Amino acid sequence: MSTPFRTDKRDFLVGLEKKYQQRWRDEHLFEIDAPPPSERESHPKWFGTFPYPYMNGSLHLGHGFSISKIEFNAGYQRMLGKRALFPVGMHCTGMPIKAASDKLVREIELFGENFERYTDESEAEPPATDPTGPVQANPATAVDRAKKGKVAAKATGLTYQFQIMESIGVPREEIKKFADPYYWLQYFPPITKASIHLSPAQDCSDAGLRVDWRRSFITTDANPYYDAFVRWQINKLRALGKIKFGERYTIYSPKDGQPCMDHDRQSGEALNPQEYTGLKIEVTEWSPDAAAALKDVVVGKKVYMVAATLRPET
């Protein structure tokens, strides 16, 4: 007869974890304010955060790896007696959300508000490139959404944006709301917060991060406070001569009428400006036929032919 597997030690440690996480919640332990002048020498302030995760999906393992570094440092600084402030922001700026919303607008026109006209034959349509979410074998539950990330975002094998949204747990009847880019700003930030917040209702609560959630925020002008901060920052840096207008080679989107950074594109990611070398060769003599045909065009002018190559060293 086999001996039953005992979990007493594990259960004891898990119980301690839950006990003290609840105490952190009750005491608002990680809600940090700047120390008063009288305490600044004995309890100096410390601030840290990590790059805001983008709000077109849930967090993935890469986010966990990045956030662990600042989390450990925040704990270490607290042990040194510092007032360690660790806020978490959520990045909503840029074109990936808008690009995905535009795809949904087109797909609603093709298949109806809830994609009821979609059939397997519809797969003949050109695929929606550079999707924004991972593939799941089965529809995800509401709780699962906090665990599904963008780790497989570039290889879903799915054709349409609405399929991608379904694969990350969004109910089909709710997908139409994502045709409005601002809806993404309402939907994914709470999922992100639930992934790392000390919430007993979430099975990701064991992370126990030292985050002051009073100071969480989203970017874009949907948050006028953060938007004003960024405007002040840029204007201040420009007035100090630290930044200025200039020119550089970039990818340009004719559809949007503006430069388009690498991760902002619906397709063509990793394609960057290329150096194209032109060799300028002056025409010193024309053939008789060319001279006769062009005499009214090139008379009295210098004319050059340009030979262009991507490999001038060859």
Side-chain angles (χ1 to χ4, degrees):
M1 183 176 179
S2 61
T3 304
F5 181 73
R6 300 191 53 146
T7 61
D8 301 32
K9 292 183 178 179
R10 184 205 65 183
D11 295 343
F12 175 72
L13 294 174
V14 170
L16 287 178
E17 183 179 56
K18 299 299 183 184
K19 174 183 176 180
Y20 286 102
Q21 286 185 357
Q22 185 60 50
R23 180 175 172 181
W24 296 346
R25 281 191 290 271
D26 295 342
E27 297 182 4
H28 306 282
L29 196 62
F30 304 129
E31 295 181 5
I32 305 299
D33 296 318
S38 60
E39 296 182 14
R40 288 180 183 174
E41 288 191 13
S42 58
H43 295 285
K45 61 183 179 180
W46 179 90
F47 170 89
T49 188
F50 82 118
Y52 314 153
Y54 197 68
M55 292 295 101
N56 63 343
S58 304
L59 300 188
H60 55 66
L61 188 59
H63 291 118
F65 176 76
S66 298
I67 204 171
S68 67
K69 301 176 183 298
I70 189 68
E71 159 66 12
F72 295 150
N73 199 4
Y76 173 69
Q77 298 296 334
R78 285 180 60 87
M79 293 173 68
L80 294 179
K82 298 180 182 179
R83 297 201 178 204
L85 174 60
F86 178 12
V88 170
M90 283 153 275
H91 182 36
C92 305
T93 312
M95 294 173 61
I97 287 176
K98 183 63 167 63
S101 295
D102 288 346
K103 292 177 190 176
L104 288 172
V105 170
R106 177 178 177 272
E107 291 168 17
I108 289 171
E109 292 174 352
L110 285 172
F111 303 127
E113 190 175 68
N114 291 312
F115 313 99
E116 61 275 4
R117 295 198 299 271
Y118 171 79
T119 63
D120 291 340
E121 288 74 21
S122 304
E123 295 290 346
E125 292 283 333
T129 55
D130 194 19
T132 59
V135 175
Q136 303 298 331
N138 298 301
T141 65
V143 173
D144 288 336
R145 288 199 302 253
K147 299 186 292 184
K148 310 305 183 188
K150 295 174 284 187
V151 65
K154 307 304 178 186
T156 66
L158 300 174
T159 300
Y160 292 102
Q161 185 66 39
F162 82 88
Q163 295 172 316
I164 295 164
M165 304 304 292
E166 281 189 309
S167 76
I168 59 174
V170 181
R172 179 173 287 203
E173 61 274 10
E174 191 170 3
I175 294 175
K176 58 179 175 290
K177 299 178 183 178
F178 290 85
D180 175 5
Y182 283 96
Y183 188 71
W184 300 66
L185 280 58
Q186 304 170 33
Y187 187 87
F188 284 111
I191 294 175
T192 297
K193 184 175 179 180
S195 298
I196 50 182
H197 189 30
L198 289 169
S199 169
Q202 296 293 334
D203 55 2
C204 290
S205 62
D206 293 341
L209 300 186
R210 300 169 176 88
V211 173
D212 185 349
W213 286 106
R214 299 174 306 164
R215 304 177 189 275
S216 66
F217 56 88
I218 62 172
T219 63
T220 75
D221 57 1
N223 179 353
Y225 303 102
Y226 187 82
D227 188 60
F229 162 68
V230 172
R231 291 176 184 273
W232 170 84
Q233 185 181 51
I234 296 300
N235 289 330
K236 186 73 172 179
L237 290 172
R238 186 184 177 199
L240 292 172
K242 301 298 184 182
I243 59 174
K244 61 181 181 180
F245 286 106
E247 294 182 352
R248 65 181 178 87
Y249 294 110
T250 188
I251 300 294
Y252 183 80
S253 169
K255 179 179 179 181
D256 297 293
Q258 65 180 33
C260 186
M261 304 306 291
D262 198 35
H263 295 290
D264 290 341
R265 303 175 204 155
Q266 289 190 19
S267 61
E269 189 172 327
L271 296 177
N272 294 304
Q274 290 182 299
E275 185 174 318
Y276 203 54
T277 302
L279 304 176
K280 188 176 175 182
I281 304 171
E282 184 179 359
V283 178
T284 58
E285 183 178 353
W286 298 94
S287 69
D289 290 342
L294 298 173
K295 64 180 181 179
D296 296 331
V297 178
V298 300
V299 61
K301 299 178 182 177
K302 282 191 174 183
V303 178
Y304 296 88
M305 301 290 186
V306 177
T309 177
L310 294 171
R311 296 287 301 276
E313 72 277 9
T314 61

